[in-house]
Amino acid sequence: MGPRPGERVLVVTDAPLRTIGYAVFEAARGLGNDALSVEMPPRQTNGAEPPPDVAALLAKGACASCHGEQFNKPIDGSYPKIAGQYPDYLLKALNDYHKGLRKNPIMGAIAKPLSKADMQNLAAYYGSLPGPLSHRK
């Protein structure tokens, strides 16, 4: 279903759907309709869903396998709850695993190939999630 002749058309889209939004806008204009296209800025997820680059890192590292689906209910009591943890603390921990200063064979293997930007992005994402250490309500 697309625009019909005589309709006023407002196309609201975001970056991932830009191509589709533009096609609808052009179709409306082609019919002689008044048309306006608006692209919304990226939405703030506040931890609801990770950005694509972070999602790829989470999948590759299988982080939820040990730290739990929401990263606040680890499968073992000896594993930390990382949701809502302070990002600077998480970055330090990841960096220490990366450099071999913190000893854990699983975390060491996961952190070793991460770039500084990867570690910063992961730490920021985990810190944005609601958790027992979160200062946000």
Side-chain angles (χ1 to χ4, degrees):
M1 179 169 166
R4 293 178 289 214
E7 291 181 326
R8 287 186 166 173
V9 178
L10 172 64
V11 178
V12 180
T13 187
D14 60 4
L17 298 174
R18 180 181 299 135
T19 304
I20 295 169
Y22 185 73
V24 171
F25 172 77
E26 286 299 312
R29 298 279 307 222
L31 293 171
N33 296 352
D34 289 335
L36 176 65
S37 180
V38 178
E39 184 171 323
M40 301 300 290
R43 66 189 167 112
Q44 299 297 316
T45 62
N46 194 23
E49 49 187 87
D53 58 333
V54 173
L57 292 169
L58 295 174
K60 185 176 181 180
C63 307
S65 298
C66 295
H67 295 286
E69 188 175 336
Q70 300 300 316
F71 309 106
N72 63 7
K73 294 181 182 165
I75 62 167
D76 182 283
S78 66
Y79 300 153
K81 296 176 182 177
I82 55 178
Q85 180 59 269
Y86 297 106
D88 55 343
Y89 172 80
L90 292 169
L91 181 58
K92 168 94 168 91
L94 285 169
N95 194 44
D96 286 353
Y97 285 123
H98 176 79
K99 292 180 177 179
L101 300 173
R102 265 182 118 155
K103 305 294 182 192
N104 179 291
I106 295 170
M107 281 303 303
I110 291 169
K112 188 70 176 163
L114 297 176
S115 69
K116 183 176 182 178
D118 290 342
M119 291 185 280
Q120 289 170 333
N121 291 338
L122 284 168
Y125 174 69
Y126 292 135
S128 75
L129 297 172
L133 302 173
S134 180
H135 61 282
R136 290 172 288 293
K137 293 184 180 200

